[in-house]
Amino acid sequence: MSYTIGLDYGTNSVRCVIVDTSNGRELGTAIYEYETGQAGIILDSSDHNVARQNPADYLKGIEVTIAGAIAEAKKADSKFDSKAIVGIGVDTTGSTPLPVDKDGTPLAMLDAYKANPNAHAWLWKDHTGYAEASEITELAKKEHPEYLAKCGGTYSSEWFFSKILHCLRTAPEIFDAAYTWVEHADWIPAVLTGTDHPDKIKRCRCAAGHKAMFNDAWGGYPNADFLKKLNSKLGELRKTLGDTTYAIDQAAGNLTEEWAKKLDLTAGIPVAIGAFDAHLGAVGSGIKPGTLVKIIGTSTCDLVVAPMSTKLPDIPGICGIVEGSVLPDCYGLEAGQSAVGDIFNWFVNYIQPGGKDVGTHVALTEKAAKLKPGQSGLLALDWNNGNRTILVDQRLTGLLLGQTLHTKPEEIYRALIEATAFGALAIINRFEEYGVKISEVVNCGGIAEKNAMVMQIYADITGREMKVSRSAQTCALGSAVAAAVVGGAHSDYDTAQAAMCGIKDITYKPIPENHAVYKKLYALYKQLHDALGLKDAPGQMSNIMKDLLDIKEEANS
Amino acid sequence: MSYTIGLDYGTNSVRCVIVDTSNGRELGTAIYEYETGQAGIILDSSDHNVARQNPADYLKGIEVTIAGAIAEAKKADSKFDSKAIVGIGVDTTGSTPLPVDKDGTPLAMLDAYKANPNAHAWLWKDHTGYAEASEITELAKKEHPEYLAKCGGTYSSEWFFSKILHCLRTAPEIFDAAYTWVEHADWIPAVLTGTDHPDKIKRCRCAAGHKAMFNDAWGGYPNADFLKKLNSKLGELRKTLGDTTYAIDQAAGNLTEEWAKKLDLTAGIPVAIGAFDAHLGAVGSGIKPGTLVKIIGTSTCDLVVAPMSTKLPDIPGICGIVEGSVLPDCYGLEAGQSAVGDIFNWFVNYIQPGGKDVGTHVALTEKAAKLKPGQSGLLALDWNNGNRTILVDQRLTGLLLGQTLHTKPEEIYRALIEATAFGALAIINRFEEYGVKISEVVNCGGIAEKNAMVMQIYADITGREMKVSRSAQTCALGSAVAAAVVGGAHSDYDTAQAAMCGIKDITYKPIPENHAVYKKLYALYKQLHDALGLKDAPGQMSNIMKDLLDIKEEANS
């Protein structure tokens, strides 16, 4: 009997789960909500693009959640012994880089900088670097188009170098004080394994490949000359990043005596190389070639893997195609939507239709579920937080079309859900257009777990069965799978996933008549999507409202 | 000392005002809310296009409001004597035709039909005849393009023949039972003056010219052959309409003994030819060549007059250019927006942001007034109830664009107000593009009276001073002016308006920096307007959101 720990750092909290490596049973779970800022995020009321986090919250989360999960596991099974834990896996949000000094200490944890938001972790959804993202894109297009070819053709404001360059430009004192910048996913394993210099931090392939243009084909990270053209200091930073990155079947190191004591674990157990939450969520959902795993939460991450034996073309608009970023022997392909649950939350929390006690998710879902596809005459674009795939443009915004004097809140709520499903379908289609066949869709995350209407709409709109991952905490489970591989409980990912992962009995199959209506609506969504999202899109848009009304009448007849 | 009565039939109620003809002083006012249906409108929950009214409410309204206004006038001035009232003027909504039998009795008032909504008055905002409107437009384009040239190029579902043809098609028993159809504005004067056969009803130039393609140039109403091609029975109806129509400087007849007794008025006083509320509202606002009068309520009607000596071109998208439809010696030009206050009401009543006690007009106005132009990054189209001018398309719908995860209700509220102001500007521009110079804008109606923020936004967006008509009941006042002319208190409209009408001291002047921002936003509005509203519009739309964000950033910087 052996167990592993999965540590899953989300946007607002960190979760620990202790898993039985033989069958995936989750013995104990604990959650720690970050204390700093608003729901764990340091905001700036004058700039909505700002989103930072306090690394001290990350550290406190390790202790609180591992202790909590062990306590719960002991309650669940009196024979449970935390010394039987054979490894730790870690996943985090990303790209969430933080500046560290030459000891590897985050600047945010030094007295001199702790009040400065720029010294903190730059959370994935910080978009302050959008101008720098454009600049990086433009330079790469001109000088190294290959850098962009593997990350969808456009470098995002959410990514590593955009954030660092923005800091360099707008808060040079912080940039200068930093020895280097480390992804959250790399920093936690480094801490647990006692890495004593930033040069020794083992950076993960996942973050480097998807967010920092790392590829062995051109010697790892972008070369110093390229970075120098953006800013000479950025060029100098290049040497602190090293030339090697690691997949999750590797260990970052071994748990130090000090941490082992603090956490009541066995010293020396391996800590797996970190990865992004979505990537390990995909592992926890049993990802394999042909399976699309959708992690649906405030935003959505879509992951696909393809055997390295496959000849894969570059796929425009897909955020990343990276060797070994999900499973060790596969290409990992990442796509996603910048806001999904966040759009529904916006409507409920900001608009509060009918008042906050009336316009709840539960109440709106109940009413929206009674509507037929097309009935409201509404169509929305899911761009309230930009479009990550396939337009790769954080500056796009939302759109709602088709309102009359009778439009009701539940109709808008449903239109927003449908918009995210149309966005999901656009991504699936893009994969398949470039030869990556999707034969199965497995969903995980809070929305997949909790909202059957959303899942049914996704099935009806995509025309595909929506399966749901068995575990309610797939990212943490994926980290525990990684821990099981580095901890020796399983020899490889195939056997580890077979033993530890699974699918729920309940799945959502497309209803043909709904799918037929949604096919028409999708054509209009795509028309709006292209007209408003593609640069230099041809064509006119005058048919959209009429077609919508025809569909509406048909639905009502 | 002489007085006149203005009777103003609105969408939900009828109002009577008693006015001193020497100075426009309003001595007494009374309102009667129609009793039938929902806020006076018979609706159909399965078809939002249906909007009917009970003519019995119209009759009851005469007695209740005139008695009420006389009582109030007596309270205001103990020497007031209702026998000093020298004439009655009437305005109504329109096109609001009702089927009558050969005695002129509305079918809705006969036992056999009173339960049938199709036998009632078809309120202006009934859109059931949209398919018939297209059919009439198509046929006229082919056979009599001149019919359309004076009414904006497209026949509307709100108008006379669309409604009658739709009744003929969908409720033939009602059509067959009717001797003819009469506009609400013609029926009330006919009733008060004891007109004993429908053939003797004096139909007003205003309704006939603006809504029924009447023009002396082609012998009055469309010819019977044309109407026969739509339906042979419609062709037969033609002869019941006659060939003559009348301007408001004419009397429909004289008040009968019976009505005089019932109303405590002098028998034999003249009742002016009726007209639409907006047209007499324009009169009450002191309309003259160069003045645009905007009647801003749930919807908006825009009126302009031009001397008949002017050579006027046809103006595409302007609902009507009709000789003598407003002032006797001028062309009356009518434009409008299908929903203005109704859009704001939709947001407050249907969406209820924050709850119905929180998201009130007052609260949203207070917050929205603090926003700077462009600050929200939002842009809306004012088409929740279609577009009356200049696209003439009832099947267009609303659009809201630019939402983020932080968009607030007051931002949307303001964007909706701005959208209606952009729509207003599009109309002004259209007039001027065709040589009808607008040198003054006078507003009236509830919103102009009550909401200073709306008026300021209109000034800022149009770049023109917004004046407000002195009377709070300009339509009723306009009817009283018409009564004063037919009653002999004034020799003509010039002197009557000079004596009885005026402008408020408070006006709204454009703030140059706001206007500068709104000029940029208007360009985007126009781009969306054309892309989504014009058939076969060329071009792409990908710049819109980016330009909006640039403007937003600029506004926030």
Side-chain angles (χ1 to χ4, degrees):
Chain A
M1 190 69 87
S2 75
Y3 306 97
T4 52
I5 279 177
L7 269 180
D8 163 40
Y9 286 89
T11 298
N12 310 107
S13 61
V14 52
R15 170 191 306 262
C16 170
V17 59
I18 297 173
V19 182
D20 183 331
T21 60
S22 69
N23 58 14
R25 186 163 74 103
E26 294 159 10
L27 277 85
T29 294
I31 291 174
Y32 167 73
E33 313 268 351
Y34 307 138
E35 290 170 22
T36 310
Q38 201 173 316
I41 307 173
I42 301 164
L43 302 172
D44 179 342
S45 61
S46 70
D47 183 356
H48 286 318
N49 289 315
V50 171
R52 309 286 158 80
Q53 287 191 324
N54 187 351
D57 286 342
Y58 300 158
L59 290 188
K60 186 165 175 193
I62 298 175
E63 292 187 62
V64 172
T65 62
I66 291 181
I70 289 174
E72 200 182 278
K74 282 181 176 163
K75 259 192 242 169
D77 181 347
S78 59
K79 280 179 270 175
F80 172 78
D81 179 358
S82 62
K83 298 295 174 352
I85 291 169
V86 299
I88 298 174
V90 178
D91 68 86
T92 72
T93 68
S95 173
T96 302
L98 55 154
V100 297
D101 70 7
K102 63 178 189 324
D103 300 323
T105 305
L107 299 187
M109 294 176 70
L110 302 176
D111 283 345
Y113 303 108
K114 69 182 177 191
N116 188 333
N118 299 313
H120 286 63
W122 293 47
L123 187 62
W124 66 275
K125 65 174 166 178
D126 186 291
H127 290 151
T128 49
Y130 63 83
E132 287 78 9
S134 296
E135 199 181 331
I136 294 168
T137 300
E138 289 315 306
L139 185 67
K141 271 185 185 162
K142 212 167 55 180
E143 311 230 330
H144 287 283
E146 72 278 14
Y147 289 175
L148 296 179
K150 302 292 176 198
C151 62
T154 308
Y155 198 76
S156 163
S157 61
E158 292 187 2
W159 298 350
F160 195 69
F161 290 114
S162 300
K163 286 169 169 163
I164 297 172
L165 185 54
H166 186 70
C167 179
L168 197 168
R169 295 260 167 79
T170 58
E173 74 287 3
I174 296 299
F175 182 88
D176 290 344
Y179 174 80
T180 191
W181 290 65
V182 187
E183 282 284 351
H184 182 190
D186 296 330
W187 183 63
I188 300 295
V191 167
L192 291 174
T193 58
T195 311
D196 60 5
H197 190 280
D199 286 352
K200 296 183 192 164
I201 292 175
K202 289 187 176 169
R203 294 176 189 260
C204 65
R205 171 63 57 90
C206 179
H210 285 289
K211 312 296 180 189
M213 300 184 280
F214 183 101
N215 197 304
D216 285 331
W218 51 80
Y221 289 99
N223 71 47
D225 284 346
F226 174 81
L227 296 175
K228 254 179 212 160
K229 284 184 185 157
L230 294 163
N231 187 293
S232 63
K233 287 183 176 177
L234 195 66
E236 285 163 35
L237 186 81
R238 170 64 180 83
K239 63 178 181 297
T240 68
L241 303 176
D243 297 318
T244 312
T245 55
Y246 301 85
I248 51 167
D249 59 344
Q250 305 293 309
N254 302 92
L255 191 67
T256 64
E257 290 281 354
E258 191 187 343
W259 275 104
K261 203 167 162 189
K262 223 186 288 194
L263 302 173
D264 194 25
L265 298 174
T266 310
I269 60 171
V271 178
I273 287 289
F276 290 147
D277 43 9
H279 294 67
L280 281 170
V283 170
S285 299
I287 197 166
K288 60 183 181 293
T291 300
L292 165 67
V293 174
K294 292 180 70 62
I295 298 100
I296 311 183
T298 52
S299 67
T300 291
C301 200
D302 294 353
L303 285 158
V304 172
V305 294
M308 289 212 203
S309 53
T310 320
K311 174 102 186 114
L312 263 195
D314 299 329
I315 307 181
I318 298 299
C319 323
I321 302 176
V322 175
E323 291 181 17
S325 70
V326 181
L327 293 179
D329 300 319
C330 288
Y331 293 106
L333 293 90
E334 185 193 339
Q337 292 167 267
S338 312
V340 173
D342 266 349
I343 298 181
F344 318 150
N345 288 337
W346 162 71
F347 191 61
V348 166
N349 297 329
Y350 278 72
I351 306 305
Q352 295 187 2
K356 68 181 171 199
D357 300 329
V358 173
T360 62
H361 286 293
V362 171
L364 287 168
T365 297
E366 196 184 322
K367 287 181 185 169
K370 291 179 185 147
L371 298 170
K372 286 183 283 185
Q375 196 177 15
S376 69
L378 295 176
L379 184 64
L381 289 174
D382 50 321
W383 300 346
N384 289 40
N385 196 28
N387 176 293
R388 191 185 294 160
T389 308
I390 47 188
L391 299 168
V392 198
D393 189 342
Q394 289 301 339
R395 300 189 81 215
L396 294 174
T397 56
L399 181 147
L400 179 67
L401 185 146
Q403 300 92 310
T404 68
L405 297 174
H406 306 277
T407 298
K408 295 194 187 108
E410 58 269 26
E411 294 175 323
I412 296 176
Y413 190 72
R414 187 177 174 113
L416 296 174
I417 291 168
E418 290 168 347
T420 66
F422 292 137
L425 177 54
I427 293 171
I428 291 173
N429 288 347
R430 176 58 56 105
F431 275 124
E432 295 213 319
E433 282 154 20
Y434 284 81
V436 181
K437 179 84 189 132
I438 309 288
S439 53
E440 180 189 52
V441 182
V442 178
N443 298 276
C444 61
I447 289 175
E449 286 282 321
K450 288 178 209 156
N451 196 314
M453 178 183 71
V454 171
M455 284 295 94
Q456 186 60 51
I457 289 174
Y458 273 59
D460 289 342
I461 284 180
T462 61
R464 291 161 184 268
E465 181 176 355
M466 292 289 127
K467 299 178 182 175
V468 181
S469 183
R470 189 177 62 203
S471 169
Q473 34 208 3
T474 46
C475 300
L477 174 62
S479 289
V481 170
V485 173
V486 295
H490 291 286
S491 58
D492 57 35
Y493 275 84
D494 268 0
T495 53
Q497 286 179 297
M500 298 172 73
C501 310
I503 295 295
K504 278 193 208 301
D505 290 338
I506 185 166
T507 72
Y508 302 87
K509 290 185 178 161
I511 298 167
E513 53 271 35
N514 290 354
H515 182 54
V517 176
Y518 280 134
K519 267 173 96 163
K520 295 187 215 170
L521 284 172
Y522 178 70
L524 298 178
Y525 170 90
K526 194 62 172 38
Q527 187 182 354
L528 263 182
H529 172 285
D530 289 355
L532 286 157
L534 286 184
K535 276 157 198 156
D536 311 314
Q540 50 78 30
M541 303 180 63
S542 69
N543 68 306
I544 289 191
M545 291 174 180
K546 312 304 171 59
D547 290 352
L548 273 173
L549 284 170
D550 289 342
I551 293 168
K552 179 180 176 179
E553 272 177 19
E554 212 179 300
N556 283 318
S557 67
Chain B
M1 189 70 86
S2 73
Y3 306 97
T4 52
I5 279 177
L7 270 179
D8 164 42
Y9 286 89
T11 298
N12 310 106
S13 60
V14 50
R15 169 191 306 262
C16 170
V17 58
I18 296 173
V19 183
D20 183 331
T21 60
S22 68
N23 57 14
R25 187 164 72 103
E26 294 159 10
L27 276 86
T29 294
I31 291 173
Y32 167 73
E33 313 268 350
Y34 308 138
E35 290 170 20
T36 311
Q38 203 172 313
I41 308 173
I42 300 163
L43 302 172
D44 180 342
S45 62
S46 70
D47 183 357
H48 287 316
N49 289 315
V50 172
R52 307 286 158 79
Q53 286 190 324
N54 187 350
D57 287 342
Y58 299 159
L59 291 188
K60 186 166 176 193
I62 298 176
E63 293 187 61
V64 172
T65 62
I66 291 182
I70 288 175
E72 200 181 278
K74 282 182 175 161
K75 258 193 239 164
D77 181 348
S78 58
K79 281 177 266 173
F80 172 78
D81 179 358
S82 62
K83 297 297 179 343
I85 291 170
V86 299
I88 299 173
V90 178
D91 68 86
T92 72
T93 67
S95 175
T96 302
L98 54 154
V100 298
D101 70 7
K102 63 177 188 326
D103 300 322
T105 305
L107 299 186
M109 295 176 70
L110 302 175
D111 284 346
Y113 302 110
K114 69 182 180 192
N116 187 333
N118 299 313
H120 285 64
W122 292 48
L123 188 62
W124 66 274
K125 66 175 168 178
D126 186 291
H127 290 152
T128 49
Y130 63 83
E132 288 79 9
S134 295
E135 200 181 332
I136 294 169
T137 300
E138 290 314 307
L139 184 66
K141 270 186 186 161
K142 213 165 55 182
E143 312 229 330
H144 287 284
E146 72 277 15
Y147 290 175
L148 296 178
K150 301 292 177 197
C151 64
T154 307
Y155 199 77
S156 164
S157 61
E158 292 187 2
W159 298 350
F160 195 68
F161 290 115
S162 300
K163 286 168 169 164
I164 297 173
L165 185 56
H166 186 70
C167 179
L168 198 168
R169 295 259 167 80
T170 58
E173 73 289 2
I174 296 300
F175 182 88
D176 290 344
Y179 173 80
T180 190
W181 291 65
V182 186
E183 281 284 351
H184 182 190
D186 296 330
W187 183 64
I188 299 296
V191 167
L192 291 174
T193 58
T195 311
D196 60 3
H197 191 281
D199 285 352
K200 295 184 191 163
I201 293 175
K202 289 187 176 167
R203 294 176 188 261
C204 67
R205 171 65 55 91
C206 178
H210 284 289
K211 313 296 181 188
M213 298 184 281
F214 183 99
N215 197 304
D216 285 330
W218 51 81
Y221 289 98
N223 71 46
D225 285 347
F226 174 81
L227 295 175
K228 256 180 211 160
K229 284 186 183 153
L230 295 162
N231 187 293
S232 63
K233 288 183 176 178
L234 195 65
E236 286 162 34
L237 185 81
R238 170 65 180 82
K239 63 176 181 297
T240 68
L241 303 176
D243 296 319
T244 312
T245 55
Y246 301 85
I248 50 166
D249 56 346
Q250 305 292 308
N254 303 94
L255 190 68
T256 63
E257 288 281 354
E258 191 188 341
W259 275 105
K261 204 168 160 188
K262 222 186 291 192
L263 301 173
D264 194 24
L265 298 174
T266 309
I269 59 169
V271 178
I273 288 290
F276 289 147
D277 44 9
H279 294 67
L280 281 170
V283 170
S285 299
I287 196 167
K288 59 183 181 294
T291 301
L292 165 68
V293 174
K294 292 181 69 63
I295 297 102
I296 311 183
T298 53
S299 68
T300 291
C301 199
D302 294 352
L303 285 159
V304 171
V305 294
M308 290 215 203
S309 54
T310 320
K311 176 102 186 108
L312 264 194
D314 299 330
I315 308 180
I318 299 299
C319 322
I321 303 175
V322 176
E323 291 181 17
S325 71
V326 180
L327 292 179
D329 300 320
C330 287
Y331 292 107
L333 293 90
E334 185 192 338
Q337 291 168 269
S338 311
V340 173
D342 266 349
I343 298 180
F344 318 150
N345 288 336
W346 162 71
F347 191 60
V348 166
N349 297 328
Y350 277 73
I351 305 304
Q352 295 186 3
K356 66 181 171 198
D357 300 328
V358 173
T360 62
H361 286 293
V362 171
L364 287 167
T365 296
E366 195 184 323
K367 287 181 187 167
K370 291 179 186 146
L371 298 170
K372 287 182 282 184
Q375 196 177 16
S376 69
L378 296 177
L379 183 64
L381 290 174
D382 50 322
W383 300 346
N384 289 40
N385 195 27
N387 176 292
R388 190 186 292 158
T389 308
I390 50 193
L391 299 166
V392 199
D393 189 341
Q394 288 302 340
R395 300 188 81 216
L396 294 174
T397 56
L399 181 147
L400 179 67
L401 185 147
Q403 300 92 307
T404 68
L405 297 175
H406 306 277
T407 298
K408 295 193 186 107
E410 58 268 26
E411 295 174 323
I412 296 175
Y413 190 71
R414 187 177 174 112
L416 296 174
I417 292 168
E418 290 168 347
T420 67
F422 292 137
L425 177 55
I427 293 171
I428 291 173
N429 289 346
R430 176 57 58 103
F431 276 123
E432 295 213 319
E433 282 154 21
Y434 284 81
V436 181
K437 178 84 190 133
I438 309 288
S439 54
E440 180 189 52
V441 182
V442 179
N443 298 275
C444 61
I447 288 175
E449 286 283 322
K450 289 180 208 153
N451 197 315
M453 178 185 70
V454 172
M455 284 295 94
Q456 186 60 51
I457 290 173
Y458 273 59
D460 290 342
I461 284 180
T462 60
R464 291 161 186 267
E465 182 177 355
M466 292 289 127
K467 299 177 181 175
V468 181
S469 182
R470 190 177 61 205
S471 170
Q473 33 207 5
T474 46
C475 301
L477 175 61
S479 289
V481 169
V485 172
V486 296
H490 290 287
S491 58
D492 56 37
Y493 274 85
D494 269 1
T495 54
Q497 286 179 298
M500 297 171 74
C501 310
I503 294 295
K504 277 194 210 298
D505 290 338
I506 185 166
T507 72
Y508 302 88
K509 293 186 178 160
I511 298 166
E513 52 272 34
N514 290 355
H515 182 55
V517 177
Y518 280 134
K519 269 174 93 163
K520 295 187 213 168
L521 285 172
Y522 179 70
L524 299 177
Y525 170 89
K526 194 60 173 41
Q527 187 182 355
L528 263 182
H529 172 284
D530 289 354
L532 287 158
L534 286 184
K535 276 158 197 154
D536 311 316
Q540 49 79 30
M541 300 180 64
S542 69
N543 66 306
I544 290 192
M545 292 175 177
K546 313 303 173 59
D547 290 353
L548 274 172
L549 285 169
D550 289 343
I551 293 169
K552 179 180 177 178
E553 274 179 14
E554 211 179 302
N556 283 318
S557 67

